[in-house]
Amino acid sequence: DAGVIQSPRHEVTEMGQEVTLRCKPISGHNSLFWYRQTMMRGLELLIYFNNNVPIDDSGMPEDRFSAKMPNASFSTLKIQPSEPRDSAVYFCASSRTSGQNTGELFFGEGSRLTVL
Amino acid sequence: DQQVKQNSPSLSVQEGRISILNCDYTNSMFDYFLWYKKYPAEGPTFLISISSIKDKNEDGRFTVFLNKSAKHLSLHIVPSQPGDSAVYFCAASVSGGSNYKLTFGKGTLLTVNP
């Protein structure tokens, strides 16, 4: 079975440029999460979608960040304009929620973003 | 305010011995706890979990212990193997409306020496 697929794996860009990260969740999973990992803050939840609807975006740092999930098999995280402090590893994760969410997330391999 | 803390950034043990990774939490509302394992250049993978109604959960070489009164949990790996070398993240969640939200610790790098 294919896991969560993220692209690109690595992105190096210059400050001010637009960055788009992509995610394909596991088929049949109805919850999708974007996390950011930094040395200082560890793994932080940015946004959570359930059945393609954004449920909680309280972790999105500021208006420069936006995320979409146009269908059950695709999501994007966009940063515009990008800044050096956005440099981090961005993980997408998915899960199948039922009556009781066990919290077992399936993570992609991450997209390492470097903003110069 | 860090609600889930892993105070040891790293731990080194000999192959065959026990590895004990510790995690403390401050939010008394947390009632479900998980451990994830992460290899370099890969995403975290789920390892084991425990509900607050239990104080121990075992899966093969991995056992998680929960001490609710101390707000402390630990992961025991016995016997440790070189392939266990990875970063281990502790995570916690609250049942109910926000049960999707996992709060992660910063991780402990475990190195198992042959």
Side-chain angles (χ1 to χ4, degrees), chain A residues 95-109:
Chain A
S95 71
R96 189 198 317 268
T97 54
S98 57
Q100 184 173 359
N101 188 357
T102 62
E104 295 176 24
L105 304 184
F106 295 81
F107 284 82
E109 294 183 319

Side-chain angles (χ1 to χ4, degrees), chain A:
Chain A
D1 287 344
V4 175
I5 299 172
Q6 291 188 244
S7 65
R9 292 294 310 277
H10 302 275
E11 174 96 3
V12 181
T13 191
E14 293 189 345
M15 184 173 64
Q17 296 298 305
E18 178 178 295
V19 173
T20 299
L21 307 178
R22 298 172 178 78
C23 175
K24 177 179 169 55
I26 293 172
S27 178
H29 284 190
N30 60 345
S31 291
L32 184 137
F33 307 78
W34 282 99
Y35 279 85
R36 178 172 68 175
Q37 183 185 23
T38 61
M39 290 291 292
M40 288 295 294
R41 301 175 69 88
L43 271 165
E44 303 173 277
L45 177 65
L46 299 178
I47 188 167
Y48 160 60
F49 291 87
N50 185 254
N51 294 323
N52 312 340
V53 176
I55 302 300
D56 183 352
D57 65 355
S58 59
M60 297 285 264
E62 46 199 274
D63 291 346
R64 297 184 298 106
F65 285 69
S66 63
K68 294 182 180 179
M69 191 165 186
N71 56 62
S73 59
F74 183 66
S75 176
T76 59
L77 177 67
K78 187 173 291 187
I79 309 172
Q80 166 64 16
S82 58
E83 296 183 3
R85 60 191 167 124
D86 302 330
S87 298
V89 181
Y90 291 81
F91 288 102
C92 177
S94 69
S95 71
R96 189 198 317 268
T97 54
S98 57
Q100 184 173 359
N101 188 357
T102 62
E104 295 176 24
L105 304 184
F106 295 81
F107 284 82
E109 294 183 319
S111 294
R112 180 176 294 277
L113 173 65
T114 302
V115 183
L116 303 174

Side-chain angles (χ1 to χ4, degrees), chain B residues 20-69:
Chain B
I20 300 177
L21 297 104
N22 293 304
C23 178
D24 297 294
Y25 60 96
T26 57
N27 187 343
S28 56
M29 298 296 291
F30 287 145
D31 58 3
Y32 194 76
F33 304 90
L34 307 92
W35 285 93
Y36 280 78
K37 175 180 175 179
K38 183 183 180 304
Y39 292 118
E42 294 184 11
T45 56
F46 169 75
L47 187 58
I48 192 169
S49 62
I50 188 167
S51 165
S52 61
I53 62 174
K54 296 185 176 180
D55 54 18
K56 175 182 174 182
N57 188 26
E58 190 171 352
D59 183 2
R61 296 185 297 112
F62 302 91
T63 303
V64 57
F65 294 92
L66 175 63
N67 182 335
K68 290 186 288 294
S69 61

Side-chain angles (χ1 to χ4, degrees), chain B:
Chain B
D1 177 31
Q2 207 177 339
Q3 297 187 63
V4 177
K5 299 179 184 179
Q6 294 177 257
N7 292 319
S8 298
S10 62
L11 174 68
S12 182
V13 300
Q14 284 298 120
E15 181 178 5
R17 307 292 290 267
I18 184 172
S19 296
I20 300 177
L21 297 104
N22 293 304
C23 178
D24 297 294
Y25 60 96
T26 57
N27 187 343
S28 56
M29 298 296 291
F30 287 145
D31 58 3
Y32 194 76
F33 304 90
L34 307 92
W35 285 93
Y36 280 78
K37 175 180 175 179
K38 183 183 180 304
Y39 292 118
E42 294 184 11
T45 56
F46 169 75
L47 187 58
I48 192 169
S49 62
I50 188 167
S51 165
S52 61
I53 62 174
K54 296 185 176 180
D55 54 18
K56 175 182 174 182
N57 188 26
E58 190 171 352
D59 183 2
R61 296 185 297 112
F62 302 91
T63 303
V64 57
F65 294 92
L66 175 63
N67 182 335
K68 290 186 288 294
S69 61
K71 294 191 179 68
H72 177 83
L73 64 155
S74 60
L75 175 68
H76 293 211
I77 307 174
V78 182
S80 301
Q81 299 173 355
D84 296 329
S85 298
V87 176
Y88 289 79
F89 291 98
C90 172
S93 68
V94 178
S95 298
S98 299
N99 61 0
Y100 58 84
K101 201 163 191 172
L102 291 184
T103 302
F104 284 87
K106 290 190 176 181
T108 297
L109 173 63
L110 172 66
T111 303
V112 180
N113 301 302

